[in-house]
């Protein structure tokens, strides 16, 4: 509540102190203005993907929490990632869907700041959760005899809390920094309040802010991505030392799902935030954004369901259970 109140005061009061600038009390999303004739088609596609994403992640969290065979660190991290991905889509997608069919694309400064705050928090949280999952796979394959000792409940909780704390810290720093600027424009060239599109509306010189944003983006993307790749270098070197081909195949199988999600997730994040600002057009930037706000959250349940035998077995057990009224009839 303190964060919300602080953001509200920041976004409401600071522009009024700049007497030389026109007071901006709300923004308007340009959204998918280039695809005006196809908005209903886009709405139908995005709504379908959104429903599948919510359903997939909710099913994963439910199955993991109810099936005792999945009460392991690996699936604990997966359930946390699915929960975070669900909240992440709730922050962005409903606003995007309403802008595709509604007449008004407006959002207040306080609403924009709140959306940006949660977007930053959850996006960074997802990055570091994937890193925690990579560390879990490293311990499971490289130090199997000490796995239960190293990856105990306390360590797992600390890793999840650390991922969330880093996201919150960056959001608390960056969001007030963005909205402390005076704004001259109202039209956000995007479909949600991302940092770069909002900063383009500022009247102030943002060169220093852009550099700081790039440095922070590099740290929260490159650092966890580097840690994951180091983990997989050690994992692969350990797997190659396994004598039997069946053992190698089984070890690779335990990492395949996570590795696919990691490559897509960090790939999209790197393209979106580490590329030069003027390299792509608005439509290309939006296409990249759709990838990491719509498709990447859907990838998580799809990959872990289709490629993971334990999850598929848990789903089979859940759906094959007879209802209580049948058992006791």
């Amino acid at each position: 509540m303190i964060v919300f109140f602080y953001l509200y005061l920041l976004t409401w009061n600071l522009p009024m102190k700049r007497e030389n600038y026109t007071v901006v009390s709300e923004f308007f999303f340009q959204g998918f203005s280039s695809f005006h004739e196809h908005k209903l088609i886009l709405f139908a596609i995005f709504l379908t993907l959104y429903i599948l994403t919510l359903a997939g992640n909710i099913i994963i969290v439910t199955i993991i929490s109810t099936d005792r065979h999945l009460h392991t660190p690996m699936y604990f991290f997966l359930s946390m990632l699915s929960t975070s991905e669900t909240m992440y889509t709730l922050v962005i997608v409903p606003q995007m869907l309403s802008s595709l069919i509604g007449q008004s694309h407006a959002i207040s400064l306080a609403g924009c700041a709140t959306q940006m705050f949660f977007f930053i928090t959850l996006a960074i949280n997802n990055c570091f959760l994937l890193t925690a999952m990579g560390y879990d796979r490293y311990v499971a394959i490289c130090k199997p005899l000490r796995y239960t000792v190293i990856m105990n409940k306390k360590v797992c909780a600390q890793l999840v809390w650390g991922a969330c704390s880093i996201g919150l810290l960056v959001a608390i720093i960056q969001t007030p920094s963005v909205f402390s600027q005076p704004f001259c424009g109202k039209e956000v060239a995007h479909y949600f309040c991302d940092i770069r599109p909002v900063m383009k509306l500022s009247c102030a010189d943002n060169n220093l802010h852009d550099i700081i944003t790039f440095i922070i983006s590099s740290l929260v993307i490159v650092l966890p991505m580097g840690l994951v790749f180091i983990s997989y270098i050690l994992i692969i070197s350990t797997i190659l030392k396994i004598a039997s081909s069946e053992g190698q195949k089984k070890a690779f199988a335990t990492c395949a799902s996570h590795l696919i999600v990691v490559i897509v997730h960090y790939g999209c994040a790197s393209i979106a935030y580490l590329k030069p600002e003027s390299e792509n057009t608005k439509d290309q930037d939006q296409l990249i954004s759709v990838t990491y706000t719509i498709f990447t959250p859907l990838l998580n349940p799809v990959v872990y369901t289709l490629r993971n035998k334990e999850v598929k077995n848990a789903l089979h057990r859940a759906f094959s259970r007879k209802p209580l009224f049948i058992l006791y009839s």
Side-chain angles (χ1 to χ4, degrees), residues 56-58 60-61 64 77-87 129 300-301:
N57 282 304
I58 290 172
I60 281 184
V61 173
I64 291 174
F77 291 128
L78 176 57
S79 67
M80 292 296 101
L81 180 63
S82 294
T83 302
S84 183
E85 292 278 24
T86 301
M87 296 172 64
L129 280 176
N300 183 41

Side-chain angles (χ1 to χ4, degrees), residues 11 15 20-30 106-109 112 178-179 181-190 193 196-204 206:
T11 58
N20 295 330
Y21 300 107
T22 302
V23 176
V24 174
S25 59
E26 62 182 3
F27 291 135
F28 296 88
F29 294 120
Q30 291 182 7
I107 186 171
S108 65
L109 258 67
C112 187
V178 171
F179 285 89
Q181 306 293 319
F183 295 105
C184 294
K186 292 185 177 182
E187 289 196 12
V188 181
H190 212 0
C193 290
R196 280 184 175 179
V198 172
M199 285 304 300
K200 287 180 180 179
L201 305 179
S202 174
C203 305
N206 293 317

Side-chain angles (χ1 to χ4, degrees), residues 32-278:
F32 299 90
S33 55
S34 302
F35 305 93
H36 180 75
E37 297 179 355
H38 307 287
K39 280 190 175 183
L40 290 179
I41 297 174
L42 290 176
F43 174 80
I45 294 172
F46 292 158
L47 178 61
T48 302
L49 293 174
Y50 181 50
I51 292 172
L52 291 174
T53 299
L54 290 180
N57 282 304
I58 290 172
I59 288 172
I60 281 184
V61 173
T62 304
I63 289 296
I64 291 174
S65 62
T66 57
D67 194 306
R68 60 183 180 82
H69 297 90
L70 302 182
H71 291 176
T72 63
M74 172 181 170
Y75 293 107
F76 169 70
F77 291 128
L78 176 57
S79 67
M80 292 296 101
L81 180 63
S82 294
T83 302
S84 183
E85 292 278 24
T86 301
M87 296 172 64
Y88 175 79
T89 57
L90 286 171
V91 170
I92 298 171
V93 181
Q95 174 76 40
M96 180 189 71
L97 292 174
S98 65
S99 68
L100 283 170
I101 59 172
Q103 296 297 320
S104 177
H105 304 172
I107 186 171
S108 65
L109 258 67
C112 187
T114 302
Q115 186 184 53
M116 183 182 293
F117 178 85
F118 281 108
F119 165 70
I120 294 172
T121 300
L122 294 168
I124 294 174
N125 181 49
N126 293 343
C127 286
F128 282 93
L129 280 176
L130 287 171
T131 305
M133 294 174 75
Y135 177 69
D136 172 72
R137 292 300 82 204
Y138 158 74
V139 177
I141 292 175
C142 299
K143 300 182 180 180
L145 298 179
R146 299 184 58 199
Y147 179 73
T148 55
V149 176
I150 296 175
M151 298 303 297
N152 56 60
K153 291 183 178 180
K154 182 179 179 181
V155 170
C156 292
Q158 288 174 340
L159 288 171
V160 171
W161 175 245
C164 185
S165 298
I166 294 171
L168 280 171
L169 178 62
V170 175
I172 290 172
I173 293 172
Q174 281 207 292
T175 307
S177 175
V178 171
F179 285 89
S180 64
Q181 306 293 319
F183 295 105
C184 294
K186 292 185 177 182
E187 289 196 12
V188 181
H190 212 0
Y191 57 85
F192 73 97
C193 290
D194 203 351
I195 296 175
R196 280 184 175 179
V198 172
M199 285 304 300
K200 287 180 180 179
L201 305 179
S202 174
C203 305
D205 183 5
N206 293 317
N207 289 331
L208 178 60
H209 188 278
D210 289 340
I211 294 172
I212 294 173
T213 300
F214 179 78
I215 292 173
I216 293 175
S217 299
S218 300
L219 289 174
V220 299
I221 294 174
V222 176
L223 177 61
M225 181 170 60
L227 291 173
V228 170
F229 285 141
I230 290 172
S231 297
Y232 272 100
I233 290 172
L234 296 174
I235 287 171
I236 292 171
S237 64
T238 301
I239 291 175
L240 293 176
K241 294 177 184 178
I242 298 175
S244 66
S245 58
E246 185 65 27
Q248 290 181 345
K249 184 179 179 181
K250 185 177 179 180
F252 275 119
T254 62
C255 301
S257 300
H258 177 250
L259 190 57
I260 291 171
V261 174
V262 162
I263 292 172
V264 175
H265 184 93
Y266 287 125
C268 292
S270 300
I271 294 171
Y273 294 100
L274 301 184
K275 65 175 177 58
E277 188 172 354
S278 60

